[in-house]
């Protein structure tokens, strides 16, 4: 099972559901898991643990799928989007001049302990001045990742170069942590207080707020970030 196979299945969903295809990604992944397991059984990982292999596949490819879904719309606004690990794994001298500037505009300084990039999956920036507009973290469920995302927002807000960067969390929220505003679960509280926006990609009704919304609101919010 490769990402291109997952992408083909998503495109089938898109033909069926149009702009609401994102609501059906959780069900799509359930189908993909069966295919993934058949492939895994032919060539299992050394630790013989399919669940671990599946979690790694699902997490990595959800990020790629989100990139595929939003890339054209992001670029239609005159912006660019890049995967976070493209900056993390490369020395700045091996990056293009544009991406090197983007990297410098995202670094968090830890004094004598150096400067480090936040752990984010996607970075949206303006190619005109390499200013970072927003960073995106994505996850199937919230768990500890929502708290990590809140931490990066706090760190980015402490430097004048990075304080206006919007921190965004996109999730399938398969355990329903974000569904109810009050009484809020811990993850919803973090999303409301410590993160700029969180978007839910499923077909479950949620109590929306200015901070927590369904995924179809993402592009409109991105336009407001730019303006």
């Amino acid at each position: 099972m490769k990402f291109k196979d997952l992408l083909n299945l998503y495109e089938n969903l898109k033909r069926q559901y149009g702009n609401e295809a994102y609501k059906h990604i959780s069900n799509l992944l359930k189908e993909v898991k069966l295919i993934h397991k058949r492939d895994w059984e032919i060539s299992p990982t050394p630790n013989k643990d399919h669940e671990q292999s599946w979690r790694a596949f699902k997490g990595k490819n959800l990020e790629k799928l989100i990139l595929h879904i939003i890339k054209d719309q992001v670029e239609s606004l005159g912006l660019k989007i890049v995967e976070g690990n493209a900056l993390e794994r490369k020395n700045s001298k091996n990056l293009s001049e544009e991406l090197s500037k983007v990297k410098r505009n995202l670094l968090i300084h830890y004094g004598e302990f150096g400067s480090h990039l936040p752990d984010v999956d996607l970075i949206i920036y303006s190619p005109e001045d390499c200013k970072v507009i927003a960073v995106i973290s994505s996850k199937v469920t919230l768990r500890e990742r929502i708290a990590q995302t809140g931490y990066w927002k706090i760190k980015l807000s402490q430097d004048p170069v990075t304080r206006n960067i919007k921190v965004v969390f996109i999730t399938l929220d398969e355990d329903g942590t974000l569904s109810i505003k009050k009484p809020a679960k811990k993850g919803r509280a973090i999303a409301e207080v410590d993160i700029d926006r969180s978007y839910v990609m499923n077909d479950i009704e949620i109590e929306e707020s200015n901070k927590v919304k369904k995924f179809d609101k993402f592009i409109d919010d991105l336009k407001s970030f730019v303006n």
Side-chain angles (χ1 to χ4, degrees):
M1 187 73 186
K2 305 294 184 183
F3 174 68
K4 65 179 181 179
D5 302 314
L6 173 60
L7 190 56
N8 288 336
L9 292 171
Y10 173 77
E11 289 299 323
N12 290 338
L13 270 186
K14 193 174 178 181
R15 284 188 284 271
Q16 185 175 359
Y17 296 106
N19 291 334
E20 294 195 336
Y22 74 88
K23 294 182 177 180
H24 304 273
I25 291 176
S26 285
N27 288 331
L28 173 63
L29 289 176
K30 291 175 184 176
E31 298 175 20
V32 170
K33 184 177 182 179
L34 298 176
I35 301 171
H36 183 272
K37 187 170 185 180
R38 287 201 297 267
D39 292 346
W40 178 87
E41 287 172 343
I42 295 171
S43 181
T45 48
N47 63 4
K48 309 296 183 183
D49 186 343
H50 174 255
E51 281 299 321
Q52 184 181 55
S53 176
W54 166 244
R55 285 194 298 271
F57 176 90
K58 182 169 60 171
K60 180 177 72 173
N61 288 292
L62 176 63
E63 171 194 328
K64 290 182 178 180
L65 187 56
I66 292 171
L67 173 60
H68 171 77
I69 293 170
I70 67 176
K71 187 173 187 290
D72 288 347
Q73 292 174 295
V74 168
E75 292 180 349
S76 73
L77 300 177
L79 305 174
K80 288 188 177 182
I81 185 168
V82 63
E83 293 179 77
N85 61 16
L87 302 185
E88 185 72 61
R89 67 172 176 251
K90 287 186 177 180
N91 188 293
S92 293
K93 66 182 181 181
N94 296 323
L95 293 170
S96 66
E97 181 179 355
E98 180 174 290
L99 288 182
S100 181
K101 289 179 179 178
V102 171
K103 183 173 183 176
R104 289 203 301 272
N105 287 335
L106 188 57
L107 285 172
I108 295 172
H109 304 292
Y110 288 87
E112 64 179 293
F113 300 103
S115 298
H116 303 276
L117 288 171
D119 293 326
V120 295
D121 297 321
L122 300 169
I123 300 160
I124 296 174
Y125 69 95
S126 167
E128 292 183 0
D129 54 10
C130 300
K131 178 182 177 182
V132 179
I133 306 299
V135 293
I136 299 172
S137 293
S138 61
K139 202 71 174 175
V140 174
T141 57
L142 277 68
R143 296 180 183 168
E144 72 281 354
R145 188 64 180 273
I146 190 80
Q148 292 172 3
T149 305
Y151 167 79
W152 293 122
K153 173 60 183 178
I154 292 168
K155 295 302 293 182
L156 288 168
S157 69
Q158 293 173 349
D159 189 298
V161 174
T162 56
R163 66 185 174 195
N164 292 321
I165 296 173
K166 301 300 183 182
V167 176
V168 173
F169 190 76
I170 299 178
T171 178
L172 300 182
D173 193 25
E174 291 185 340
D175 52 10
T177 302
L178 296 181
S179 297
I180 299 174
K181 184 177 180 180
K182 292 181 180 179
K185 293 182 179 179
K186 185 189 298 183
R188 177 75 187 237
I190 293 171
E192 293 285 354
V193 176
D194 294 325
I195 299 173
D196 290 299
R197 295 290 189 280
S198 295
Y199 299 96
V200 180
M201 305 177 82
N202 63 33
D203 60 352
I204 300 170
E205 290 298 318
I206 69 168
E207 295 179 8
E208 290 191 325
S209 68
N210 186 50
K211 292 286 198 80
V212 179
K213 308 180 183 184
K214 279 303 188 75
F215 178 70
D216 59 330
K217 314 295 195 310
F218 169 74
I219 291 298
D220 285 341
D221 283 350
L222 180 59
K223 291 176 183 176
S224 72
F225 297 162
V226 176
N227 294 332

mmCIF file of all heavy atoms in Angstrom, residues 197-225:
data_model
loop_
_atom_site.group_PDB
_atom_site.id
_atom_site.type_symbol
_atom_site.label_atom_id
_atom_site.label_comp_id
_atom_site.label_asym_id
_atom_site.label_seq_id
_atom_site.Cartn_x
_atom_site.Cartn_y
_atom_site.Cartn_z
ATOM 1 N N ARG A 197 -6.305 27.982 15.701
ATOM 2 C CA ARG A 197 -7.457 27.326 15.106
ATOM 3 C C ARG A 197 -7.257 25.810 15.142
ATOM 4 O O ARG A 197 -6.132 25.310 14.975
ATOM 5 C CB ARG A 197 -7.658 27.723 13.643
ATOM 6 C CG ARG A 197 -8.008 29.167 13.395
ATOM 7 C CD ARG A 197 -9.400 29.540 13.848
ATOM 8 N NE ARG A 197 -9.763 30.871 13.391
ATOM 9 C CZ ARG A 197 -9.379 32.009 13.961
ATOM 10 N NH1 ARG A 197 -8.594 31.970 15.047
ATOM 11 N NH2 ARG A 197 -9.756 33.183 13.476
ATOM 12 N N SER A 198 -8.371 25.093 15.312
ATOM 13 C CA SER A 198 -8.377 23.632 15.172
ATOM 14 C C SER A 198 -9.524 23.269 14.238
ATOM 15 O O SER A 198 -10.629 23.808 14.361
ATOM 16 C CB SER A 198 -8.562 22.948 16.525
ATOM 17 O OG SER A 198 -7.455 23.197 17.372
ATOM 18 N N TYR A 199 -9.251 22.348 13.314
ATOM 19 C CA TYR A 199 -10.247 21.956 12.314
ATOM 20 C C TYR A 199 -10.475 20.450 12.373
ATOM 21 O O TYR A 199 -9.524 19.674 12.450
ATOM 22 C CB TYR A 199 -9.787 22.368 10.913
ATOM 23 C CG TYR A 199 -9.599 23.861 10.783
ATOM 24 C CD1 TYR A 199 -8.340 24.434 10.938
ATOM 25 C CD2 TYR A 199 -10.677 24.705 10.539
ATOM 26 C CE1 TYR A 199 -8.154 25.803 10.848
ATOM 27 C CE2 TYR A 199 -10.502 26.084 10.440
ATOM 28 C CZ TYR A 199 -9.236 26.614 10.595
ATOM 29 O OH TYR A 199 -9.061 27.982 10.509
ATOM 30 N N VAL A 200 -11.741 20.075 12.316
ATOM 31 C CA VAL A 200 -12.134 18.677 12.458
ATOM 32 C C VAL A 200 -12.558 18.122 11.106
ATOM 33 O O VAL A 200 -13.427 18.695 10.438
ATOM 34 C CB VAL A 200 -13.278 18.541 13.479
ATOM 35 C CG1 VAL A 200 -13.692 17.082 13.617
ATOM 36 C CG2 VAL A 200 -12.855 19.105 14.833
ATOM 37 N N MET A 201 -11.958 16.979 10.727
ATOM 38 C CA MET A 201 -12.268 16.333 9.453
ATOM 39 C C MET A 201 -13.066 15.057 9.706
ATOM 40 O O MET A 201 -12.520 13.958 9.658
ATOM 41 C CB MET A 201 -10.979 15.994 8.700
ATOM 42 C CG MET A 201 -10.042 17.142 8.463
ATOM 43 S SD MET A 201 -8.509 16.628 7.638
ATOM 44 C CE MET A 201 -9.036 16.592 5.927
ATOM 45 N N ASN A 202 -14.343 15.180 10.013
ATOM 46 C CA ASN A 202 -15.201 14.004 10.130
ATOM 47 C C ASN A 202 -16.650 14.418 9.918
ATOM 48 O O ASN A 202 -16.942 15.599 9.682
ATOM 49 C CB ASN A 202 -15.002 13.297 11.479
ATOM 50 C CG ASN A 202 -15.384 14.153 12.669
ATOM 51 O OD1 ASN A 202 -16.296 14.978 12.610
ATOM 52 N ND2 ASN A 202 -14.673 13.980 13.775
ATOM 53 N N ASP A 203 -17.565 13.458 9.990
ATOM 54 C CA ASP A 203 -18.972 13.753 9.731
ATOM 55 C C ASP A 203 -19.784 13.886 11.017
ATOM 56 O O ASP A 203 -21.014 13.900 10.988
ATOM 57 C CB ASP A 203 -19.591 12.660 8.839
ATOM 58 C CG ASP A 203 -19.516 11.276 9.470
ATOM 59 O OD1 ASP A 203 -18.853 11.134 10.523
ATOM 60 O OD2 ASP A 203 -20.120 10.349 8.905
ATOM 61 N N ILE A 204 -19.115 14.004 12.155
ATOM 62 C CA ILE A 204 -19.791 14.129 13.445
ATOM 63 C C ILE A 204 -20.100 15.605 13.718
ATOM 64 O O ILE A 204 -19.268 16.477 13.459
ATOM 65 C CB ILE A 204 -18.912 13.557 14.577
ATOM 66 C CG1 ILE A 204 -18.626 12.075 14.328
ATOM 67 C CG2 ILE A 204 -19.573 13.747 15.934
ATOM 68 C CD1 ILE A 204 -17.577 11.491 15.252
ATOM 69 N N GLU A 205 -21.274 15.881 14.215
ATOM 70 C CA GLU A 205 -21.627 17.248 14.572
ATOM 71 C C GLU A 205 -20.756 17.716 15.741
ATOM 72 O O GLU A 205 -20.542 16.975 16.700
ATOM 73 C CB GLU A 205 -23.100 17.333 14.975
ATOM 74 C CG GLU A 205 -24.067 17.152 13.819
ATOM 75 C CD GLU A 205 -23.921 18.226 12.750
ATOM 76 O OE1 GLU A 205 -23.760 19.406 13.122
ATOM 77 O OE2 GLU A 205 -23.947 17.881 11.555
ATOM 78 N N ILE A 206 -20.274 18.948 15.649
ATOM 79 C CA ILE A 206 -19.481 19.507 16.746
ATOM 80 C C ILE A 206 -20.030 20.885 17.118
ATOM 81 O O ILE A 206 -20.663 21.554 16.300
ATOM 82 C CB ILE A 206 -17.982 19.625 16.392
ATOM 83 C CG1 ILE A 206 -17.755 20.703 15.320
ATOM 84 C CG2 ILE A 206 -17.415 18.295 15.943
ATOM 85 C CD1 ILE A 206 -16.293 21.073 15.146
ATOM 86 N N GLU A 207 -19.786 21.276 18.351
ATOM 87 C CA GLU A 207 -20.139 22.617 18.794
ATOM 88 C C GLU A 207 -19.000 23.546 18.379
ATOM 89 O O GLU A 207 -17.959 23.600 19.018
ATOM 90 C CB GLU A 207 -20.345 22.635 20.307
ATOM 91 C CG GLU A 207 -21.528 21.803 20.766
ATOM 92 C CD GLU A 207 -21.707 21.820 22.279
ATOM 93 O OE1 GLU A 207 -21.002 22.598 22.966
ATOM 94 O OE2 GLU A 207 -22.545 21.049 22.778
ATOM 95 N N GLU A 208 -19.214 24.258 17.294
ATOM 96 C CA GLU A 208 -18.165 25.107 16.749
ATOM 97 C C GLU A 208 -18.000 26.391 17.577
ATOM 98 O O GLU A 208 -18.915 26.818 18.274
ATOM 99 C CB GLU A 208 -18.458 25.465 15.297
ATOM 100 C CG GLU A 208 -18.334 24.299 14.334
ATOM 101 C CD GLU A 208 -18.378 24.728 12.883
ATOM 102 O OE1 GLU A 208 -19.115 25.689 12.559
ATOM 103 O OE2 GLU A 208 -17.679 24.123 12.072
ATOM 104 N N SER A 209 -16.824 26.973 17.453
ATOM 105 C CA SER A 209 -16.523 28.260 18.058
ATOM 106 C C SER A 209 -15.606 29.006 17.106
ATOM 107 O O SER A 209 -15.317 28.519 16.001
ATOM 108 C CB SER A 209 -15.832 28.059 19.415
ATOM 109 O OG SER A 209 -14.531 27.514 19.228
ATOM 110 N N ASN A 210 -15.126 30.146 17.509
ATOM 111 C CA ASN A 210 -14.177 30.872 16.665
ATOM 112 C C ASN A 210 -12.856 30.132 16.531
ATOM 113 O O ASN A 210 -12.134 30.298 15.544
ATOM 114 C CB ASN A 210 -13.909 32.265 17.252
ATOM 115 C CG ASN A 210 -13.038 33.122 16.335
ATOM 116 O OD1 ASN A 210 -13.325 33.240 15.152
ATOM 117 N ND2 ASN A 210 -11.983 33.692 16.881
ATOM 118 N N LYS A 211 -12.550 29.265 17.494
ATOM 119 C CA LYS A 211 -11.272 28.543 17.512
ATOM 120 C C LYS A 211 -11.372 27.114 16.982
ATOM 121 O O LYS A 211 -10.387 26.572 16.481
ATOM 122 C CB LYS A 211 -10.724 28.502 18.943
ATOM 123 C CG LYS A 211 -10.279 29.850 19.506
ATOM 124 C CD LYS A 211 -8.972 30.295 18.887
ATOM 125 C CE LYS A 211 -8.286 31.363 19.712
ATOM 126 N NZ LYS A 211 -7.550 30.854 20.850
ATOM 127 N N VAL A 212 -12.522 26.476 17.136
ATOM 128 C CA VAL A 212 -12.687 25.067 16.750
ATOM 129 C C VAL A 212 -13.817 24.968 15.724
ATOM 130 O O VAL A 212 -14.952 25.362 16.012
ATOM 131 C CB VAL A 212 -13.004 24.181 17.972
ATOM 132 C CG1 VAL A 212 -13.202 22.732 17.543
ATOM 133 C CG2 VAL A 212 -11.885 24.283 19.007
ATOM 134 N N LYS A 213 -13.486 24.451 14.541
ATOM 135 C CA LYS A 213 -14.448 24.460 13.439
ATOM 136 C C LYS A 213 -14.311 23.186 12.597
ATOM 137 O O LYS A 213 -13.344 22.442 12.721
ATOM 138 C CB LYS A 213 -14.200 25.666 12.531
ATOM 139 C CG LYS A 213 -14.128 26.999 13.245
ATOM 140 C CD LYS A 213 -13.869 28.129 12.270
ATOM 141 C CE LYS A 213 -13.735 29.460 12.983
ATOM 142 N NZ LYS A 213 -13.572 30.591 12.043
ATOM 143 N N LYS A 214 -15.287 23.002 11.714
ATOM 144 C CA LYS A 214 -15.159 21.955 10.713
ATOM 145 C C LYS A 214 -14.123 22.394 9.673
ATOM 146 O O LYS A 214 -13.886 23.584 9.434
ATOM 147 C CB LYS A 214 -16.508 21.682 10.042
ATOM 148 C CG LYS A 214 -17.422 20.770 10.860
ATOM 149 C CD LYS A 214 -16.716 19.449 11.152
ATOM 150 C CE LYS A 214 -17.609 18.413 11.788
ATOM 151 N NZ LYS A 214 -18.545 17.796 10.860
ATOM 152 N N PHE A 215 -13.528 21.422 9.021
ATOM 153 C CA PHE A 215 -12.401 21.645 8.124
ATOM 154 C C PHE A 215 -12.742 22.558 6.943
ATOM 155 O O PHE A 215 -11.858 23.233 6.407
ATOM 156 C CB PHE A 215 -11.899 20.288 7.623
ATOM 157 C CG PHE A 215 -10.770 20.361 6.644
ATOM 158 C CD1 PHE A 215 -9.507 20.757 7.046
ATOM 159 C CD2 PHE A 215 -10.966 20.018 5.307
ATOM 160 C CE1 PHE A 215 -8.462 20.820 6.143
ATOM 161 C CE2 PHE A 215 -9.924 20.079 4.401
ATOM 162 C CZ PHE A 215 -8.665 20.480 4.821
ATOM 163 N N ASP A 216 -14.003 22.598 6.529
ATOM 164 C CA ASP A 216 -14.359 23.407 5.363
ATOM 165 C C ASP A 216 -14.190 24.905 5.610
ATOM 166 O O ASP A 216 -14.214 25.702 4.666
ATOM 167 C CB ASP A 216 -15.788 23.105 4.901
ATOM 168 C CG ASP A 216 -16.819 23.365 5.992
ATOM 169 O OD1 ASP A 216 -16.490 23.232 7.177
ATOM 170 O OD2 ASP A 216 -17.962 23.698 5.628
ATOM 171 N N LYS A 217 -13.971 25.305 6.855
ATOM 172 C CA LYS A 217 -13.758 26.726 7.174
ATOM 173 C C LYS A 217 -12.283 27.130 7.053
ATOM 174 O O LYS A 217 -11.957 28.302 7.195
ATOM 175 C CB LYS A 217 -14.215 27.022 8.616
ATOM 176 C CG LYS A 217 -15.558 26.461 9.033
ATOM 177 C CD LYS A 217 -16.713 27.043 8.281
ATOM 178 C CE LYS A 217 -18.064 26.747 8.943
ATOM 179 N NZ LYS A 217 -18.300 25.347 9.300
ATOM 180 N N PHE A 218 -11.407 26.178 6.794
ATOM 181 C CA PHE A 218 -9.968 26.446 6.855
ATOM 182 C C PHE A 218 -9.527 27.532 5.877
ATOM 183 O O PHE A 218 -8.826 28.479 6.258
ATOM 184 C CB PHE A 218 -9.169 25.160 6.600
ATOM 185 C CG PHE A 218 -7.700 25.399 6.379
ATOM 186 C CD1 PHE A 218 -6.879 25.722 7.445
ATOM 187 C CD2 PHE A 218 -7.141 25.329 5.109
ATOM 188 C CE1 PHE A 218 -5.519 25.974 7.256
ATOM 189 C CE2 PHE A 218 -5.798 25.575 4.904
ATOM 190 C CZ PHE A 218 -4.978 25.896 5.976
ATOM 191 N N ILE A 219 -9.904 27.431 4.615
ATOM 192 C CA ILE A 219 -9.415 28.380 3.612
ATOM 193 C C ILE A 219 -9.912 29.789 3.893
ATOM 194 O O ILE A 219 -9.156 30.765 3.757
ATOM 195 C CB ILE A 219 -9.789 27.926 2.194
ATOM 196 C CG1 ILE A 219 -8.999 26.656 1.818
ATOM 197 C CG2 ILE A 219 -9.511 29.018 1.167
ATOM 198 C CD1 ILE A 219 -7.481 26.839 1.788
ATOM 199 N N ASP A 220 -11.157 29.940 4.286
ATOM 200 C CA ASP A 220 -11.664 31.266 4.633
ATOM 201 C C ASP A 220 -10.872 31.886 5.776
ATOM 202 O O ASP A 220 -10.546 33.089 5.766
ATOM 203 C CB ASP A 220 -13.141 31.203 5.007
ATOM 204 C CG ASP A 220 -14.049 31.036 3.795
ATOM 205 O OD1 ASP A 220 -13.593 31.327 2.670
ATOM 206 O OD2 ASP A 220 -15.194 30.587 3.960
ATOM 207 N N ASP A 221 -10.532 31.065 6.767
ATOM 208 C CA ASP A 221 -9.716 31.563 7.879
ATOM 209 C C ASP A 221 -8.313 31.921 7.421
ATOM 210 O O ASP A 221 -7.733 32.921 7.873
ATOM 211 C CB ASP A 221 -9.666 30.526 9.007
ATOM 212 C CG ASP A 221 -10.939 30.503 9.843
ATOM 213 O OD1 ASP A 221 -11.775 31.408 9.684
ATOM 214 O OD2 ASP A 221 -11.084 29.581 10.651
ATOM 215 N N LEU A 222 -7.771 31.112 6.514
ATOM 216 C CA LEU A 222 -6.423 31.405 6.006
ATOM 217 C C LEU A 222 -6.401 32.766 5.300
ATOM 218 O O LEU A 222 -5.451 33.529 5.449
ATOM 219 C CB LEU A 222 -5.959 30.305 5.045
ATOM 220 C CG LEU A 222 -4.574 30.480 4.430
ATOM 221 C CD1 LEU A 222 -3.491 30.555 5.504
ATOM 222 C CD2 LEU A 222 -4.273 29.341 3.451
ATOM 223 N N LYS A 223 -7.466 33.055 4.570
ATOM 224 C CA LYS A 223 -7.563 34.377 3.920
ATOM 225 C C LYS A 223 -7.520 35.489 4.967
ATOM 226 O O LYS A 223 -6.876 36.521 4.747
ATOM 227 C CB LYS A 223 -8.865 34.461 3.114
ATOM 228 C CG LYS A 223 -8.909 33.560 1.891
ATOM 229 C CD LYS A 223 -10.277 33.642 1.223
ATOM 230 C CE LYS A 223 -10.370 32.685 0.041
ATOM 231 N NZ LYS A 223 -11.728 32.693 -0.570
ATOM 232 N N SER A 224 -8.195 35.275 6.087
ATOM 233 C CA SER A 224 -8.193 36.298 7.134
ATOM 234 C C SER A 224 -6.826 36.411 7.790
ATOM 235 O O SER A 224 -6.418 37.500 8.203
ATOM 236 C CB SER A 224 -9.267 35.976 8.191
ATOM 237 O OG SER A 224 -8.895 34.874 8.996
ATOM 238 N N PHE A 225 -6.085 35.300 7.875
ATOM 239 C CA PHE A 225 -4.735 35.360 8.426
ATOM 240 C C PHE A 225 -3.855 36.260 7.561
ATOM 241 O O PHE A 225 -3.052 37.043 8.071
ATOM 242 C CB PHE A 225 -4.102 33.967 8.484
ATOM 243 C CG PHE A 225 -4.798 32.985 9.382
ATOM 244 C CD1 PHE A 225 -4.548 31.624 9.241
ATOM 245 C CD2 PHE A 225 -5.688 33.402 10.364
ATOM 246 C CE1 PHE A 225 -5.173 30.706 10.080
ATOM 247 C CE2 PHE A 225 -6.318 32.485 11.192
ATOM 248 C CZ PHE A 225 -6.060 31.133 11.045
#
